[in-house]
């Protein structure tokens, strides 16, 4: 009976924290590209992680909060294999997907009483895809060849209470398409660059449209995200004229002739994902 009461009290405390805002919480923003691993920090004050609880919230995906870790034990069956705890109780998420964005809270309890300062982490996920207008009849395939128009779609997914407008104006978040030298492609007239927010206002988008040239073989275009003028993460799209048809995928695993090879670094360092698109040679 005592254990049941402790669990009920724990549930009430978690619900109260989410409804009113986590009192005394240290907030952190983490920007990451899909396909890489990420580490979310917790304010550990106890000797081990048996008192640590990680909860996740994203009302676009779940009507209620999800307990990922409860008192040191993994609970989320959907992401069970991708989650792990560090010795300092930080949460590791392997192979981040577009659906992992949201808010993560780390809380610590002893006998149902909260301990120390809570940690709240806003996870923002950046990913790139080819627009449907550039695709062949199969939605997973994209024909890339000189003379063909291609549109690349870059999107930042963020927590539902942080609108794109807020992130841009108040947090200093900026999305850019740049070339291999890091030059903003808005300065080149051959590229059409447009920025917008989604209909729900919580996803920032920037698109690149251009007509491919013969000399675009092996050319890289990079969608990069800066936060207060500091580069946080990026996704690179590379065109290669070889083979017949490329399959473009945003997953981390290689798919046919297209590969997405993420490079994971610490949160304070730059993180990038690389997409290689293989396409028909001219005259083939």
């Amino acid at each position: 009976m005592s254990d049941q009461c402790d669990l009920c009290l724990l549930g009430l405390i978690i619900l109260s924290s989410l409804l009113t805002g986590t009192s005394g919480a240290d907030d952190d923003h983490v920007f990451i590209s899909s396909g890489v691993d990420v580490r979310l920090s917790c304010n550990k004050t106890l000797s081990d992680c048996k008192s640590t609880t990680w909860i996740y919230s994203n009302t676009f995906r779940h009507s209620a909060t999800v307990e990922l870790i409860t008192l040191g034990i993994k609970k989320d069956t959907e992401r069970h294999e991708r989650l792990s705890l560090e010795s300092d109780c930080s949460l590791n998420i392997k192979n981040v997907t577009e659906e992992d964005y949201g808010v993560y809270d780390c809380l610590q309890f002893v006998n149902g009483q909260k301990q120390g300062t809570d940690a709240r982490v806003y996870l923002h996920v950046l990913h790139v895809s080819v627009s449907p207008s550039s695709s062949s009849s199969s939605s997973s395939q994209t024909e890339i060849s000189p003379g063909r128009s291609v549109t690349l779609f870059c999107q930042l997914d963020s927590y539902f209470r942080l609108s794109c407008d807020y992130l841009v104006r108040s947090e200093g978040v900026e999305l850019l398409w740049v070339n291999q030298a890091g030059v903003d492609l808005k300065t080149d007239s051959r590229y059409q660059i447009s920025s917008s927010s989604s209909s729900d206002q919580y996803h920032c988008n920037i698109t690149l449209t251009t007509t491919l040239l013969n000399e675009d073989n092996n050319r890289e275009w990079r969608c990069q995200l800066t936060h207060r003028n500091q580069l946080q993460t990026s996704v690179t799209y590379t065109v290669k004229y070889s083979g017949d048809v490329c399959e473009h995928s945003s997953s981390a695993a290689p798919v046919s002739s297209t590969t997405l090879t993420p490079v994971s670094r610490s949160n304070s360092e730059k993180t990038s994902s690389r997409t290689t698109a293989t396409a028909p040679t001219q005259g083939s």
Side-chain angles (χ1 to χ4, degrees):
M1 182 66 180
S2 175
D3 290 341
Q4 291 179 341
C5 290
D6 287 345
L7 289 174
C8 291
L9 180 59
L10 174 61
L12 288 174
I13 293 174
I14 291 175
L15 178 61
S16 175
S17 297
L18 292 170
L19 292 176
T20 61
T22 308
S23 176
D26 290 338
D27 292 356
D28 189 20
H29 290 270
V30 174
F31 300 88
I32 202 75
S33 300
S34 60
V36 304
D37 300 344
V38 68
R39 176 177 175 271
L40 308 182
S41 298
C42 179
N43 295 326
K44 179 185 176 184
T45 58
L46 304 174
S47 58
D48 56 43
C49 298
K50 294 180 180 179
S51 301
T52 298
T53 294
W54 275 97
I55 53 178
Y56 167 74
S57 179
N58 183 336
T59 56
F60 282 123
R61 297 193 59 230
H62 303 279
S63 58
T65 60
V66 177
E67 290 189 22
L68 306 177
I69 308 288
T70 301
L71 301 179
I73 301 173
K74 288 191 286 186
K75 296 293 185 180
D76 185 2
T77 56
E78 180 181 345
R79 292 184 282 182
H80 188 275
E81 297 302 320
R82 296 195 293 120
L83 302 178
S84 62
L85 279 181
E86 293 278 357
S87 58
D88 63 356
C89 306
S90 296
L91 179 67
N92 283 331
I93 307 176
K94 293 183 179 179
N95 190 19
V96 169
T97 72
E98 301 161 23
E99 297 182 341
D100 287 329
Y101 77 93
V103 63
Y104 294 76
D105 286 298
C106 180
L107 308 94
Q108 296 179 87
F109 298 89
V110 174
N111 297 325
Q113 299 294 320
K114 282 207 298 181
Q115 306 292 314
T117 303
D118 302 336
R120 170 163 286 184
V121 182
Y122 296 94
L123 184 62
H124 312 263
V125 180
L126 185 72
H127 55 97
V128 167
S129 60
V130 179
S131 72
S133 62
S134 301
S135 299
S136 63
S137 56
S138 173
S139 60
S140 66
Q141 295 183 335
T142 305
E143 295 178 359
I144 305 291
S145 60
R148 184 180 177 89
S149 176
V150 64
T151 298
L152 303 180
F153 182 87
C154 182
Q155 178 167 300
L156 176 67
D157 294 329
S158 296
Y159 178 54
F160 75 102
R161 290 182 180 173
L162 301 178
S163 69
C164 179
D165 182 69
Y166 170 84
L167 289 173
V168 172
R169 295 179 181 274
S170 301
E171 287 294 326
V173 169
E174 184 178 22
L175 292 179
L176 293 173
W177 277 106
V178 300
N179 62 17
Q180 290 158 294
V183 177
D184 189 346
L185 292 179
K186 286 182 180 178
T187 61
D188 191 329
S189 60
R190 72 163 287 204
Y191 302 101
Q192 292 78 54
I193 309 293
S194 61
S195 301
S196 64
S197 58
S198 60
S199 58
D200 56 35
Q201 302 297 313
Y202 299 114
H203 306 278
C204 297
N205 307 313
I206 185 169
T207 59
L208 177 155
T209 301
T210 190
T211 299
L212 293 172
L213 306 175
N214 291 329
E215 55 266 32
D216 283 334
N217 188 32
N218 292 320
R219 190 183 300 277
E220 294 182 355
W221 298 308
R222 185 170 71 250
C223 178
Q224 68 178 32
L225 182 151
T226 60
H227 180 218
R228 296 171 182 167
N229 297 318
Q230 297 294 316
L231 179 61
Q232 298 293 318
T233 190
S234 67
V235 180
T236 298
Y237 188 92
T238 303
V239 177
K240 287 186 178 294
Y241 295 150
S242 61
D244 296 323
V245 177
C246 80
E247 291 184 7
H248 181 86
S249 173
S250 59
S251 68
V255 180
S256 184
S257 57
T258 300
T259 58
L260 181 63
T261 309
V263 179
S264 179
R265 302 175 186 172
S266 66
N267 182 40
S268 60
E269 295 178 324
K270 304 171 186 176
T271 307
S272 66
S273 295
R274 182 177 301 275
T275 302
T276 302
T278 306
T281 23
Q282 191 175 20
S284 63

